[in-house]
Amino acid sequence: ANYSKVTPCGPRVVVKVAELQAKTLGGILLPDTSQKKPTSGDVVSVGKGKNYSLTLKEGDTVLYSKFGLGVTDVELQGQEYAILFERDCIGIMPSSNSTVEDIKDIKPLGDRVLIQVDSAAEESAGGVLLTDTAKEKPTTGSVLAVGPGKLNEETGEVQATKLKVGDKVSFFKWAGDAIETPSGAAYNVVNESDVLCKL
C-alpha cells in the first residue's frame, strides 16, 4: 500500500527526519551507514493526550533522543519519518535549519533544563598538564533555559520546574544529552531530577 499521511495515536508526534548531510573525511565521501543519524526534524502531525493537549505543534523543529525506546522509524513516499512520544523530545530548536551551534537557543520540553557545562580542568592539583582522556568530565554548569515542568500524563497537570535560569548546578555525571559545538562550548540537556544540587 502507498500511504501519504500518518496520524499519531495518543501523546505522540510524527517528525519528518532532517536530511543526512553528506559528510567527508579528508575528501573521501562517507557512506550513510558510517554517519550518525540525525535526531532532529520538523513535526508534521500531533496526537492528543488523555486529558491534555501536547506542547508541540505542527511546524516545530525538535531535537529528540536517539535512545528513546518508543521511537519508530517509517518511510513514506521516500521520506524518513519518526513516530515518538512527546516526552522523548528534548526540546524545540529555533528554526528548521538549526545547527548544533543553535543548541544554546533550544527551548527544553517537560522538566528538562539546558545547562552550559563548565570547562574541564586543564591541569591537575599537582600542576601536571592533563590530556583530554585524563580530564575529569565536568558535572557543573549554569542553567540557560528551563522547560515548563513535569507533566502528569493521567491528569494533564504540570509540576513547574524549581530551577531557574542563572542557577549554578551540579548534575549526575552520565545524565542527559551532552552536546558539544564545533567552537568548543559544551551543553547538556538533563531532566531536573538529574540535577544533584544548586551551588
Side-chain angles (χ1 to χ4, degrees):
N2 197 5
Y3 301 102
S4 60
K5 185 167 171 53
V6 175
T7 304
C9 296
R12 293 179 178 87
V13 294
V14 179
V15 174
K16 181 180 176 185
V17 179
E19 293 292 319
L20 196 62
Q21 297 299 314
K23 297 240 174 44
T24 63
L25 188 63
I28 300 164
L29 195 62
L30 297 176
D32 282 358
T33 51
S34 70
Q35 298 179 43
K36 280 188 185 155
K37 263 191 172 178
T39 52
S40 68
D42 298 333
V43 176
V44 294
S45 189
V46 177
K48 181 149 180 21
K50 188 174 171 183
N51 292 308
Y52 63 96
S53 295
L54 272 59
T55 303
L56 293 172
K57 306 280 178 266
E58 287 183 18
D60 284 343
T61 297
V62 292
L63 188 67
Y64 60 91
S65 176
K66 55 183 166 277
F67 303 115
L69 296 175
V71 179
T72 303
D73 294 319
V74 293
E75 193 173 302
L76 281 180
Q77 299 180 334
Q79 171 64 51
E80 196 177 343
Y81 294 87
I83 305 169
L84 64 155
F85 284 106
E86 183 180 61
R87 65 176 169 261
D88 289 328
C89 293
I90 296 164
I92 302 171
M93 294 299 282
S95 65
S96 186
N97 54 358
S98 295
T99 68
V100 73
E101 290 286 358
D102 298 313
I103 193 67
K104 65 187 181 316
D105 300 317
I106 195 171
K107 280 196 252 169
L109 288 167
D111 68 337
R112 291 178 180 86
V113 294
L114 171 66
I115 297 170
Q116 181 161 13
V117 180
D118 293 336
S119 55
E122 295 294 322
E123 55 183 63
S124 71
V128 177
L129 199 60
L130 298 174
T131 61
D132 279 352
T133 52
K135 290 177 190 172
E136 185 66 19
K137 190 175 172 185
T139 57
T140 58
S142 300
V143 176
L144 294 185
V146 297
K150 191 166 184 71
L151 171 73
N152 179 324
E153 291 189 359
E154 284 301 309
T155 65
E157 291 173 21
V158 175
Q159 183 182 345
T161 29
K162 293 175 181 69
L163 291 170
K164 304 280 178 256
V165 171
D167 283 348
K168 188 93 169 122
V169 295
S170 176
F171 56 92
F172 178 61
K173 189 173 191 168
W174 307 111
D177 294 275
I179 299 142
E180 196 165 310
T181 66
S183 62
Y187 299 90
N188 201 332
V189 183
V190 302
N191 289 92
E192 188 176 48
S193 57
D194 288 324
V195 173
L196 304 171
C197 63
K198 285 204 276 186
L199 302 171

